[in-house]
Amino acid sequence: MGRGKIVIRRIDNSTSRQVTFSKRRNGLLKKAKELGILCDAEVGLIIFSSTGRLYDFSSSSMKTVIDRYNKSKEEHNHVVNSTSEVKFWQREAANLRQQLHTLQESHRQLMGEELSGLSVKDLQNLENQLEMSLRGVRMKKDQILTDEIQELNRKGNLIHQENMELYKKVNLLHRENMELYKKINGTGEVNGGISKSPFLSNGFSIGEDMHPPIHLELSQPQTQNYEMPARATKLGQFNITNKIINKAHSPYSGVTIMHLISS
């Protein structure tokens, strides 16, 4: 009668578990040795019991087997990683090409091109998108203009303040000049008019000319209805000429005779 099928699970009985471990360990080590001999394979087997005891087998040297294993594992991981990286970048490139195509198509539609395949709803959405973009551009432009206006107003206020300061300084200088002018006039009156300089150091005029030029103008006498004797006419003319000559030799050197009309 054959043995029944054994369920593969942890054996609860410690004695039975230890007996089973010993039997199967020996069988595994035997199979590993046979595999290395029969197939000319490099075999390395490491076993740790539940109590922490080590059992191992190697067809050549355990260190050589482990080094060969680590080297092969690194190469395999490198190949797998390289392949995975290439596939990843291939997928990324495909996604980027698709996005570029979509963006180019959207840009052409925004420029008013290739609209033949769009429905009324798509055109309405495109129009709304253009209106929103235009509104954003106008808001940005208004904001920039507002900032520039505020900056110009600020500069204008600074210039106005500087002008006010300069105006106050000019007024102060004007008051100082007026006080100096009054002091100079007072000193001149006390000293009997010794100071006769008509201008201050800053160019303000103190007084006008004391002897302005006199302009003498003779008008034509009205025509009389009667005739004067020739002697009287000549005598009157002689008297007028003498008066003009006397005026010319007067202290007022600025006398000017505009014209002389004699009958």
Side-chain angles (χ1 to χ4, degrees), residues 6-146:
I6 300 175
V7 179
I8 304 301
R9 64 180 182 181
R10 183 177 181 275
I11 301 175
D12 296 331
N13 192 327
S14 60
T15 304
S16 300
R17 186 170 59 244
Q18 184 63 34
V19 172
T20 303
F21 173 75
S22 298
K23 291 181 178 180
R24 294 192 175 243
R25 179 199 65 202
N26 294 331
L28 183 60
L29 291 174
K30 182 178 178 181
K31 293 292 182 182
K33 182 177 180 181
E34 292 176 354
L35 180 63
I37 295 172
L38 295 175
C39 301
D40 194 17
E42 190 172 5
V43 180
L45 178 63
I46 299 175
I47 302 173
F48 288 96
S49 66
S50 59
T51 58
R53 186 174 179 179
L54 172 65
Y55 302 91
D56 61 345
F57 168 80
S58 175
S59 59
S60 58
S61 171
M62 184 60 69
K63 184 176 182 301
T64 303
V65 174
I66 293 175
D67 292 340
R68 184 175 180 181
Y69 167 79
N70 291 331
K71 184 178 179 180
S72 300
K73 189 68 175 178
E74 291 177 359
E75 293 178 353
H76 177 72
N77 291 334
H78 180 71
V79 172
V80 172
N81 292 335
S82 299
T83 304
S84 301
E85 187 175 0
V86 170
K87 291 181 179 180
F88 170 77
W89 288 116
Q90 287 177 351
R91 290 193 300 269
E92 288 293 321
N95 293 331
L96 291 175
R97 281 195 295 268
Q98 182 64 30
Q99 293 179 6
L100 178 61
H101 177 72
T102 303
L103 291 175
Q104 289 177 348
E105 184 178 359
S106 177
H107 179 265
R108 287 192 293 268
Q109 292 176 356
L110 290 174
M111 296 299 295
E113 302 175 358
E114 298 183 3
L115 302 177
S116 58
L118 298 179
S119 61
V120 176
K121 184 177 181 180
D122 294 336
L123 293 174
Q124 185 66 35
N125 294 332
L126 182 61
E127 183 180 2
N128 295 334
Q129 185 177 0
L130 289 173
E131 289 179 355
M132 292 177 60
S133 301
L134 183 60
R135 190 180 302 110
V137 171
R138 287 174 177 172
M139 290 176 62
K140 184 62 177 179
K141 184 188 71 174
D142 293 340
Q143 181 64 32
I144 293 175
L145 292 176
T146 302

Side-chain angles (χ1 to χ4, degrees), residues 197-215:
S197 177
F199 296 96
L200 296 175
S201 60
N202 57 0
F204 288 98
S205 175
I206 295 177
E208 298 293 335
D209 191 1
M210 298 302 295
H211 302 288
I214 300 174
H215 299 279

